[in-house]
Amino acid sequence: MSVIAANLQAVNRRVAAAAQQAGRPAGEVTLLAVSKTFPAAAVQAAFDAGQRAFGENYVQEGVDKIAQLGDLRDQISWHFIGPLQSNKTRVVAERFDWVHAIDRLRIAERLSAQRPAGMAPLQVCLQVNISGEASKSGVAPDEVPALARAVAALPGLRLRGLMAIPEPQSDMEAQRRPFAALRALADTLRAAGLDVDTLSMGMSADMEAAIAEGATVVRIGTAIFGARDHATAPEATQARPA
Ligand SMILES: *Cc1c(COP(=O)(O)O)cnc(C)c1O
């Protein structure tokens, strides 16, 4: 078995164990394999081991990989999970299935206008600055309801829920707090009549805490593909992922 296949198996076991611990069916949690900085061959290895949902952070890198794996296009769901600048929305609207990090209306409006008519709606989440740090991307929690209403009304998009990247914490209690806050915010949206079903939260180091608080998508890179090479990865220029 390849290293990636073995890692995937271990991560799927972690997800299942965390779901069971939380009294949730394991099928409620989708594993999104974050393949940023890794080549198409790594995605292919994960695909061969049964993985079908992949996350990318950088537009050009993601688009290149989608093209390289064009034969598998109908079998993979591709998620754009990085920060998105308005001059790069078109290719994302044309090539991806999901966008997780919408943090302002202008980006959603562009994606809506640029989503090709023949394609299924682009599935989108709003990124929430749940830990409240000034340096982080994401919309402030009190601005989420208004943005959610506006995004839900746009053609070509389907608002699915909320996403967050909380400040890293080492203990489970501290990890759970921001995830609980994100879940509460999604409950508020549902109470206001919005049809949201997705909580995109939890990474390699905190997936158990996220699943305990209701994550429906966990975004896992390192635990599947290994450590990223920070010397070559353009992550240093970003708000946080690493
Ligand atoms: C890189 C990244 C991940 C994966 O992080 P790991 O710690 O490697 O699991 C998840 N979400 C986002 C938004 C990322 O940028």
Side-chain angles (χ1 to χ4, degrees), residues 47-70:
F47 179 90
D48 291 343
Q51 179 63 27
R52 293 293 181 269
F54 293 90
E56 289 287 335
N57 276 61
Y58 312 109
V59 174
Q60 196 54 50
E61 182 193 335
V63 165
D64 288 348
K65 255 177 256 182
I66 292 170
Q68 283 162 20
L69 296 164

Side-chain angles (χ1 to χ4, degrees), residues 8-157:
L8 252 179
Q9 195 174 76
V11 168
N12 276 310
R13 288 201 179 118
R14 273 176 75 182
V15 169
Q20 188 182 23
Q21 180 88 24
R24 305 178 56 204
E28 263 181 36
V29 185
T30 297
L31 173 60
L32 181 61
V34 178
S35 42
K36 65 180 178 206
T37 80
F38 290 95
V43 174
Q44 179 76 58
F47 179 90
D48 291 343
Q51 179 63 27
R52 293 293 181 269
F54 293 90
E56 289 287 335
N57 276 61
Y58 312 109
V59 174
Q60 196 54 50
E61 182 193 335
V63 165
D64 288 348
K65 255 177 256 182
I66 292 170
Q68 283 162 20
L69 296 164
D71 289 352
L72 307 179
R73 184 65 192 87
D74 293 344
Q75 295 172 73
I76 290 180
S77 94
W78 286 102
H79 297 234
F80 189 76
I81 64 172
L84 186 52
Q85 294 164 332
S86 56
N87 62 352
K88 299 208 174 136
T89 51
R90 180 175 296 279
V91 71
V92 170
E94 290 174 349
R95 305 294 165 82
F96 281 83
D97 300 299
W98 283 68
V99 173
H100 286 233
I102 305 261
D103 62 357
R104 53 196 194 278
L105 186 57
R106 175 165 166 72
I107 298 292
E109 285 171 342
R110 290 180 64 90
L111 290 169
S112 167
Q114 293 165 345
R115 182 68 167 175
M119 292 179 83
L122 189 62
Q123 311 292 301
V124 302
C125 293
L126 308 183
Q127 183 177 358
V128 183
N129 183 359
I130 204 73
S131 308
E133 291 129 284
S135 62
K136 290 267 182 71
S137 44
V139 62
D142 61 349
E143 292 168 13
V144 168
L147 181 60
R149 266 191 303 276
V151 170
L154 293 172
L157 305 185

Side-chain angles (χ1 to χ4, degrees), residues 150-164:
V151 170
L154 293 172
L157 305 185
R158 167 137 189 250
L159 178 67
R160 294 296 298 271
L162 304 178
M163 176 270 209

Side-chain angles (χ1 to χ4, degrees), residues 34 36 57-58 81-82 127 163 165 202-205 219-223 226 228 235 238 240-242:
V34 178
K36 65 180 178 206
N57 276 61
Y58 312 109
I81 64 172
Q127 183 177 358
M163 176 270 209
I165 311 173
M203 313 202 303
S204 294
R219 307 177 313 268
I220 309 300
T222 310
R228 289 179 290 274
E235 281 156 27
Q238 281 196 204
R240 179 208 140 143

